[in-house]
Short mmCIF file of all heavy atoms in Angstrom, two decimals:
data_model
loop_
_atom_site.label_atom_id
_atom_site.label_comp_id
_atom_site.label_asym_id
_atom_site.label_seq_id
_atom_site.Cartn_x
_atom_site.Cartn_y
_atom_site.Cartn_z
N ASP A 74 79.21 -11.16 35.64
CA ASP A 74 80.30 -11.03 34.62
C ASP A 74 81.53 -10.40 35.38
O ASP A 74 81.48 -9.16 35.62
CB ASP A 74 79.99 -10.31 33.42
CG ASP A 74 81.00 -10.28 32.39
OD1 ASP A 74 82.08 -10.57 32.69
OD2 ASP A 74 80.66 -9.91 31.18
N LEU A 110 39.81 -12.79 2.16
CA LEU A 110 40.18 -11.55 1.38
C LEU A 110 40.59 -11.88 0.05
O LEU A 110 40.11 -11.22 -0.92
CB LEU A 110 41.16 -10.74 2.11
CG LEU A 110 40.65 -10.05 3.55
CD1 LEU A 110 41.82 -9.38 4.16
CD2 LEU A 110 39.55 -9.02 3.16
N ALA A 114 38.56 -10.84 -3.19
CA ALA A 114 39.21 -10.04 -4.33
C ALA A 114 39.07 -10.72 -5.61
O ALA A 114 38.82 -10.11 -6.70
CB ALA A 114 40.62 -9.68 -3.97
N GLN A 128 31.55 -4.44 -23.92
CA GLN A 128 31.67 -3.59 -25.14
C GLN A 128 30.39 -2.87 -25.42
O GLN A 128 29.29 -3.33 -25.30
CB GLN A 128 31.91 -4.53 -26.35
CG GLN A 128 32.29 -3.83 -27.72
CD GLN A 128 32.81 -4.83 -28.64
OE1 GLN A 128 33.41 -5.89 -28.40
NE2 GLN A 128 32.76 -4.33 -30.00
N LYS A 151 35.79 -1.03 -28.32
CA LYS A 151 36.54 -1.66 -27.22
C LYS A 151 35.64 -1.73 -26.07
O LYS A 151 34.66 -1.03 -25.91
CB LYS A 151 37.73 -0.74 -26.87
CG LYS A 151 38.84 -0.76 -27.95
CD LYS A 151 40.02 0.18 -27.59
CE LYS A 151 41.02 0.19 -28.73
NZ LYS A 151 42.16 1.07 -28.31
N GLN A 183 30.92 36.43 -23.51
CA GLN A 183 30.33 37.29 -24.51
C GLN A 183 28.82 37.19 -24.38
O GLN A 183 28.09 36.22 -24.74
CB GLN A 183 30.61 36.84 -25.95
CG GLN A 183 29.91 37.64 -27.06
CD GLN A 183 30.12 36.94 -28.36
OE1 GLN A 183 30.80 35.98 -28.57
NE2 GLN A 183 29.43 37.54 -29.35
N TYR A 227 32.17 18.71 -16.24
CA TYR A 227 32.17 18.09 -17.53
C TYR A 227 32.39 19.16 -18.63
O TYR A 227 32.95 18.82 -19.70
CB TYR A 227 30.84 17.37 -17.68
CG TYR A 227 29.53 18.15 -17.64
CD1 TYR A 227 29.01 18.87 -18.54
CD2 TYR A 227 28.86 18.14 -16.47
CE1 TYR A 227 27.85 19.64 -18.54
CE2 TYR A 227 27.73 18.89 -16.18
CZ TYR A 227 27.20 19.64 -17.33
OH TYR A 227 25.93 20.31 -17.15
N CYS A 228 31.88 20.28 -18.41
CA CYS A 228 32.12 21.40 -19.40
C CYS A 228 33.51 21.81 -19.44
O CYS A 228 34.10 21.94 -20.61
CB CYS A 228 31.25 22.68 -19.16
SG CYS A 228 29.51 22.49 -19.42
N CYS A 232 36.03 21.21 -22.68
CA CYS A 232 36.66 22.37 -23.35
C CYS A 232 38.21 22.18 -23.41
O CYS A 232 38.91 22.47 -24.26
CB CYS A 232 36.35 23.61 -22.65
SG CYS A 232 34.62 24.20 -22.81
N THR A 256 17.13 38.58 -17.39
CA THR A 256 16.72 39.94 -17.86
C THR A 256 15.32 39.93 -18.52
O THR A 256 14.83 41.04 -18.96
CB THR A 256 17.74 40.62 -18.84
OG1 THR A 256 17.80 39.67 -20.00
CG2 THR A 256 19.03 40.81 -18.12
N SER A 291 22.94 15.93 -21.28
CA SER A 291 21.59 15.78 -20.58
C SER A 291 20.56 16.67 -21.06
O SER A 291 20.12 16.49 -22.15
CB SER A 291 21.84 15.95 -19.00
OG SER A 291 20.75 15.55 -18.37
N LEU A 292 20.03 17.62 -20.34
CA LEU A 292 19.12 18.57 -20.85
C LEU A 292 19.62 19.30 -22.10
O LEU A 292 18.88 19.56 -22.98
CB LEU A 292 18.67 19.59 -19.79
CG LEU A 292 17.69 20.66 -20.11
CD1 LEU A 292 16.50 20.77 -19.22
CD2 LEU A 292 18.31 21.97 -20.37
N ALA A 302 16.48 18.66 -35.28
CA ALA A 302 15.35 18.29 -35.96
C ALA A 302 14.61 19.26 -36.61
O ALA A 302 14.12 19.19 -37.77
CB ALA A 302 14.43 17.44 -35.01
N HIS A 360 16.54 34.47 -9.14
CA HIS A 360 15.90 35.40 -10.14
C HIS A 360 14.44 35.70 -9.77
O HIS A 360 13.70 35.98 -10.65
CB HIS A 360 16.06 34.73 -11.55
CG HIS A 360 17.43 34.36 -11.92
ND1 HIS A 360 18.51 35.32 -12.10
CD2 HIS A 360 18.02 33.20 -12.07
CE1 HIS A 360 19.51 34.73 -12.43
NE2 HIS A 360 19.26 33.43 -12.37
N GLU A 382 9.05 17.64 -11.37
CA GLU A 382 7.69 17.75 -12.06
C GLU A 382 6.90 18.86 -11.58
O GLU A 382 6.19 19.57 -12.24
CB GLU A 382 7.06 16.42 -11.90
CG GLU A 382 5.58 16.34 -12.65
CD GLU A 382 4.83 15.05 -12.51
OE1 GLU A 382 5.34 14.20 -11.60
OE2 GLU A 382 3.87 14.86 -13.11
N CYS A 444 19.93 -3.43 -35.76
CA CYS A 444 20.45 -3.40 -34.33
C CYS A 444 21.62 -4.38 -34.32
O CYS A 444 21.64 -5.33 -34.93
CB CYS A 444 19.37 -3.93 -33.45
SG CYS A 444 17.82 -2.85 -33.37
#
Side-chain angles (χ1 to χ4, degrees):
D74 188 341
L110 289 173
Q128 188 168 337
K151 296 180 180 180
Q183 178 191 354
Y227 57 85
C228 287
C232 290
T256 55
S291 193
L292 179 131
H360 303 296
E382 184 181 10
C444 300

